[in-house]
Amino acid sequence: MSGRILYRDFGNTGIKVSALGFGAMRLPMKDARGGAKQVDYDVAVPTILRAFELGVNYIDTAPFYCDSDSETAVGMALKSWADSGGGQVYLSTKNPSAEGDANKWRSLLEGSLKKLGRSHIDFYHMWGISLERFKKYIDVKGGHIESAMKAKEEGLIKHISFSYHDSADNMAPIVDSGYFESVLCQYNLLDRSNEKAIAYARGKGLGVVVMGPVGGGRLGAPSEVIRGMLKKDIRSTAEMALRFVLANSNVDIALSGMRSIENVEENAKVAAIEGTLTDSEMEQIDRMLEENKRLAELYCTGCKYCMPCPQNVNIPHVFSLMNYHKVYGLTDHAKSEYAQLAVPLEERENNWARDRGYGAAACVECGECEGKCPQHIKIMQQLKDTHAALT
């Protein structure tokens, strides 16, 4: 392949990072003993190494990714790369401890170091924190920031970071605390809510890593609506999505979950394009996104006044899936996501999945939601229509 992945200054860290980062959340899996799953190292490790060969120098993992096996696979790839004389690769992982238990926080750090086979972690994240958790567990006497500072003094952590899923308006106080050198948050064509917060963080000297540049897989599905946003040769929806994120000068790294060498090589080509999108092209995308947003809001604005539902139907999420189908042409993804809402909550793998609630099939037509909707949407009928379209 021609071209070389571009590099960017990672905030004020003094480090140059590849515009494309390797997200080790979706590594290929295989069956293990006792019906469990584990990473297919024979596929995953060469895939990661191919990314390194093409210039990717930032890899992100976490203790629970890939049935808690991602860190082991990443450690194997990093060791193989180092043994072969490969260049510097920066490692990111996370600490999932939410409560203010310094011993547990430390044990989780040590567990990651052991799995990864490393003496230190380059970018260690407070995982998925909110402003509330930051105030309650992190920025307090004896809190996690003290544990992190101590680990940094010992050389176990090089840079303290945080990953973020809270409201965009709540990011600034965490940035302003001065503790963190980088942030990992979501941003993509379908979810631009963090755009101003990203600019703020970058302006304050933090490195910015974007998760979900392809919308957590949503934009990996074919969509002529999205692929056709520009009058030029865009080969896929995923390419359009990745180019959009990389065109934002406040984004240092677009973190992509890659499962195969083919994925790596396709994304590396995009990350090697100088000046990914011009100002006029971004304006064209903005116009189309605004028009699509207007069309989507004819259906539901996502204000959430209809919630909570007594039957735990996630009405805004159900309608957002209908928008993916009707407005963006992401029908396969919408159907796949909708099917997951039928799974009983107790059978779902994590709290995020349980928090999604149920689909339209759980509606008993009590009508409570319609009395609260400022748009006067006939919610019960549209839930039926959505269920019919996505099943």
Side-chain angles (χ1 to χ4, degrees), residues 207-281:
V208 175
V209 185
V210 163
M211 67 175 93
V214 190
R218 296 192 296 276
L219 294 166
S223 168
E224 289 303 309
V225 174
I226 293 171
R227 194 181 68 82
M229 283 183 172
L230 296 179
K231 295 178 180 179
K232 61 194 306 181
D233 184 23
I234 302 292
R235 292 167 299 173
S236 67
T237 307
E239 179 182 335
M240 180 71 246
L242 188 57
R243 292 185 70 176
F244 170 80
V245 170
L246 291 175
N248 188 326
S249 61
N250 293 311
V251 173
D252 299 314
I253 302 171
L255 199 63
S256 179
M258 297 178 277
R259 297 174 53 87
S260 68
I261 289 175
E262 181 183 17
N263 288 160
V264 169
E265 293 181 343
E266 288 175 353
N267 286 345
K269 287 178 182 177
V270 177
I273 299 172
E274 291 276 3
T276 52
L277 294 174
T278 65
D279 289 343
S280 63
E281 287 169 339

Side-chain angles (χ1 to χ4, degrees), residues 165-187:
H165 293 279
D166 197 6
S167 165
D169 294 337
N170 286 340
M171 189 190 293
I174 301 176
V175 170
D176 288 340
S177 71
Y179 297 133
F180 302 103
E181 293 183 76
S182 72
V183 58
L184 169 62
C185 63
Q186 181 155 307
Y187 172 68

Side-chain angles (χ1 to χ4, degrees), residues 126-175:
M126 306 287 182
W127 193 359
I129 65 173
S130 62
L131 181 57
E132 179 184 5
R133 286 173 64 184
F134 174 73
K135 292 178 177 178
K136 188 174 181 180
Y137 299 119
I138 296 170
D139 191 21
V140 294
K141 184 175 176 55
H144 295 328
I145 198 64
E146 290 187 8
S147 299
M149 293 292 190
K150 184 174 184 296
K152 187 175 181 181
E153 288 172 5
E154 296 173 51
L156 302 179
I157 301 170
K158 298 297 183 183
H159 306 275
I160 302 173
S161 307
F162 72 101
S163 67
Y164 190 76
H165 293 279
D166 197 6
S167 165
D169 294 337
N170 286 340
M171 189 190 293
I174 301 176
V175 170

